Amino acid sequence: MKKIHETLKFLNLKKSDDPHLSIGRRLTPENLKIASQLFTTIDMEFLCDKIVLREFDPIKKQFFIIDTIPFGNNPQPEFVQGSLF
């Protein structure tokens, strides 16, 4: 990704080096129905450590970050055998 950005510097584009996923952008209701029929099983094994809220700038034709919501670290609790008496 960084090498691609280096080659596109002459275009003066402001782009992020962080990979991201836009879900369902510009899909019509018909295309959403087709997508739901195509993707019947989804592997939900992935790491998502934050959500980034972006807003479209119509002048630059780019999205810019307006807020980042980090999830932090919440590991599985370690089981400890206890005793009441």
Side-chain angles (χ1 to χ4, degrees):
M1 178 73 97
K2 290 183 181 181
K3 286 182 181 181
I4 292 171
H5 285 209
E6 288 294 322
T7 60
L8 296 176
K9 275 190 175 179
F10 66 92
L11 296 176
N12 199 20
L13 298 175
K14 294 184 179 182
K15 295 203 176 208
S16 171
D17 289 336
D18 296 326
H20 67 278
L21 173 69
S22 297
I23 301 172
R25 185 184 338 165
R26 297 183 186 149
L27 287 181
T28 64
E30 295 82 19
N31 287 341
L32 282 172
K33 185 176 181 181
I34 292 169
S36 69
Q37 293 168 349
L38 289 173
F39 298 104
T40 56
T41 59
I42 300 171
D43 181 14
M44 297 301 281
E45 297 281 331
F46 61 91
L47 173 66
C48 182
D49 62 348
K50 65 186 167 199
I51 292 177
V52 178
L53 184 61
R54 302 183 311 150
E55 184 177 354
F56 185 70
D57 182 346
I59 297 169
K60 293 182 180 179
K61 305 287 188 208
Q62 293 287 322
F63 287 88
F64 63 93
I65 296 172
I66 58 174
D67 197 10
T68 301
I69 305 159
F71 292 141
N73 186 12
N74 188 12
Q76 292 287 351
E78 184 178 321
F79 179 74
V80 177
Q81 179 65 42
S83 174
L84 290 174
F85 304 101

